[in-house]
């Protein structure tokens, strides 16, 4: 029920995901009249009727507490109860984060769940963590972001030894705010894959596999990249339609431009994973179309099958307390 173009694109995206993955089953949460038709067409989709909807402008935590029968809360509850392995929504990001944290729960040892997004960096994709879940951070949170990001890139993207960077305003370890300098020191001592600071200009250059920052900076960075990409394509379109000669040239490079646009299209990945909760949670763009919904669901399938949440939980599980009389190691 969430997203700028819901529910039509969500239903279409779910149907396309079912076609793309024969092993997939979907529990479709929403108004009965919306979810029932698809469930009647296939036994791999089960309708979960809900009676409430969380609006984009509502206070996330309050809405999650008050609207227990919303599609977002019910969806997260299905994961908590073991009826579902993962959850996807293109609805309110804040409500998705609140429901995943309050209903699904944090993995033991994880101080703050974090949102990560794949950036189409040149040469190889980069995973930017956090991009909005934690506007205010402590340096030690970034250490956990780095470890979770490395697990994701290794498991989902197949990177054998992910290279980790800290988003900062200079390469030297003495650069940046007191927060950034302290985070640098902790990352250097606790994350073997840490390779140093990543300047803004290096983020899309393919120099790092995982880049960590606080959620405020990461979100501004992400939106700036997305806005720049859109503006760039507008400029290119204007240039290629400015004259008859330009239009002729455009016809010659149309295929290459379409390929480039595809690489930069955020719908390619479909959403951002929330790492550090008990189960898989993918948050889609509010402007998601059917392709983005499909890709978001399929991305969730990959995370489930690769056991990303279990690997994160194992990495952060507190050490078991010794039994009475047993020596501490």
């Amino acid at each position: 029920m969430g997203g700028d173009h819901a529910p039509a694109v969500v239903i279409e995206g779910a149907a396309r995901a079912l076609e793309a993955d024969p092993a997939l089953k979907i529990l479709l949460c929403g108004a009965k009249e919306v979810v029932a038709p698809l469930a009647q067409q296939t036994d791999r989709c089960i309708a979960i009727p809900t009676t409430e909807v969380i609006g984009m402008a509502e206070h996330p935590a309050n809405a999650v507490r008050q609207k227990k029968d919303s599609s977002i809360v019910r969806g997260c509850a299905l994961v908590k109860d073991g009826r579902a392995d993962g959850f996807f929504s293109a609805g309110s990001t804040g409500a998705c984060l609140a429901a995943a944290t309050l209903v699904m729960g944090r993995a033991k040892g994880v101080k703050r769940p974090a949102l990560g997004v794949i950036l189409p960096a040149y040469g190889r994709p980069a995973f930017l963590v956090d991009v909005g879940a934690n506007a205010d951070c402590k340096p030690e949170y970034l250490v956990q972001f780095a470890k979770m990001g490395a697990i994701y890139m290794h498991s989902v993207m197949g990177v054998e030894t992910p290279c980790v960077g800290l988003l900062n305003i200079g390469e030297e370890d003495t650069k940046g705010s007191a927060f950034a300098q302290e985070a640098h020191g902790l990352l250097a001592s606790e994350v073997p894959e840490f390779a140093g600071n990543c300047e803004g200009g290096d983020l899309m250059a393919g120099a790092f596999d995982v880049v960590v920052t606080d959620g405020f900076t990461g979100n501004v960075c992400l939106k700036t990249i997305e806005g720049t990409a859109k503006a760039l394509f507008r400029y290119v379109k204007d240039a290629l339609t400015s004259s008859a000669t330009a239009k002729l040239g455009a016809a010659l490079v149309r295929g290459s431009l379409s390929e480039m646009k595809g690489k930069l299209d955020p719908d390619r990945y479909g959403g951002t994973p929330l790492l550090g909760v008990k189960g898989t949670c993918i948050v889609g763009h509010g402007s998601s179309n059917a392709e983005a919904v499909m890709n978001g669901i399929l991305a969730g399938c990959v995370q489930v099958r690769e056991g990303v949440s279990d690997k994160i939980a194992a990495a952060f599980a507190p050490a078991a307390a010794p039994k009475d009389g047993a020596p501490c190691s």
Side-chain angles (χ1 to χ4, degrees), residues 9-91:
V9 297
V10 180
I11 301 300
E12 182 184 348
R16 290 172 60 178
L18 287 169
E19 291 179 4
D21 188 342
L24 171 66
K25 294 182 180 180
I26 290 179
L27 302 179
L28 197 59
C29 303
K32 183 177 181 179
E33 65 274 14
V34 171
V35 300
L38 181 60
Q40 292 169 354
Q41 296 173 22
T42 172
D43 59 2
R44 291 195 291 124
C45 178
I46 298 175
I48 307 293
T50 62
T51 60
E52 296 176 304
V53 175
I54 294 178
M56 302 295 278
E58 293 188 64
H59 186 281
N62 290 343
V64 166
R65 292 188 179 98
Q66 294 169 6
K67 294 186 174 181
K68 303 292 185 181
D69 200 38
S70 63
S71 55
I72 289 177
V73 176
R74 289 286 299 280
C76 287
L78 290 169
V79 178
K80 179 185 178 182
D81 295 340
R83 291 185 60 191
D85 298 298
F87 171 73
F88 170 87
S89 175

Side-chain angles (χ1 to χ4, degrees), residues 3-325:
D4 298 341
H5 309 295
V9 297
V10 180
I11 301 300
E12 182 184 348
R16 290 172 60 178
L18 287 169
E19 291 179 4
D21 188 342
L24 171 66
K25 294 182 180 180
I26 290 179
L27 302 179
L28 197 59
C29 303
K32 183 177 181 179
E33 65 274 14
V34 171
V35 300
L38 181 60
Q40 292 169 354
Q41 296 173 22
T42 172
D43 59 2
R44 291 195 291 124
C45 178
I46 298 175
I48 307 293
T50 62
T51 60
E52 296 176 304
V53 175
I54 294 178
M56 302 295 278
E58 293 188 64
H59 186 281
N62 290 343
V64 166
R65 292 188 179 98
Q66 294 169 6
K67 294 186 174 181
K68 303 292 185 181
D69 200 38
S70 63
S71 55
I72 289 177
V73 176
R74 289 286 299 280
C76 287
L78 290 169
V79 178
K80 179 185 178 182
D81 295 340
R83 291 185 60 191
D85 298 298
F87 171 73
F88 170 87
S89 175
S92 164
T93 298
C96 289
L97 300 183
T101 303
L102 296 173
V103 179
M104 292 167 59
R106 285 182 293 147
K108 287 186 178 180
V110 173
K111 296 178 179 178
R112 292 290 189 277
L115 280 171
V117 64
I118 294 289
L119 299 176
Y122 188 80
R124 61 181 183 184
F127 193 49
L128 180 62
V129 191
D130 178 27
V131 292
N134 305 277
D136 297 303
C137 283
K138 296 180 180 179
E140 56 264 34
Y141 297 171
L142 270 60
V143 173
Q144 292 200 340
F145 297 170
K147 293 179 178 179
M148 292 192 292
I151 290 172
Y152 179 90
M153 288 300 284
H154 176 75
S155 301
V156 175
M157 303 300 291
V159 180
E160 187 62 31
T161 306
C163 176
V164 177
L166 169 66
L167 192 61
N168 207 339
I169 60 173
E171 293 183 359
E172 299 82 5
D173 56 8
T174 56
K175 288 295 183 67
S177 62
F179 167 80
Q181 292 180 38
E182 185 178 348
H184 187 287
L186 291 174
L187 287 163
S189 63
E190 298 184 33
V191 180
E193 302 86 358
F194 182 61
N197 288 332
C198 171
E199 294 187 87
D202 297 326
L203 189 56
M204 296 295 288
F208 297 89
D209 299 301
V210 179
V211 178
V212 296
T213 186
D214 63 274
F216 181 91
T217 303
N219 189 270
V220 171
C221 184
L222 173 63
K223 297 298 174 60
T224 300
I225 292 172
E226 292 177 342
T228 300
K230 290 179 181 178
L232 176 61
F233 276 106
R234 290 194 186 102
Y235 280 124
V236 171
K237 182 178 180 180
D238 290 346
L240 293 177
T241 57
S242 60
S243 67
T245 303
K247 291 179 181 178
L248 178 61
L252 296 175
V253 298
R254 180 173 296 138
S256 297
L257 289 175
S258 296
E259 182 180 353
M260 180 178 70
K261 185 177 181 181
K263 290 179 180 179
L264 297 175
D265 189 352
D267 293 341
R268 180 181 181 186
Y269 297 103
T272 57
L274 179 65
L275 305 177
V277 293
K278 296 178 181 178
T280 294
C281 178
I282 306 289
V283 183
H285 286 276
S287 60
S288 291
N289 56 23
E291 180 182 4
V293 172
M294 176 189 70
N295 288 333
I297 294 171
L298 296 178
C301 292
V302 174
Q303 278 191 238
V304 169
R305 289 168 180 149
E306 293 298 328
V308 173
S309 60
D310 291 337
K311 291 175 182 177
I312 289 174
F316 291 96
K323 296 181 181 179
D324 292 343

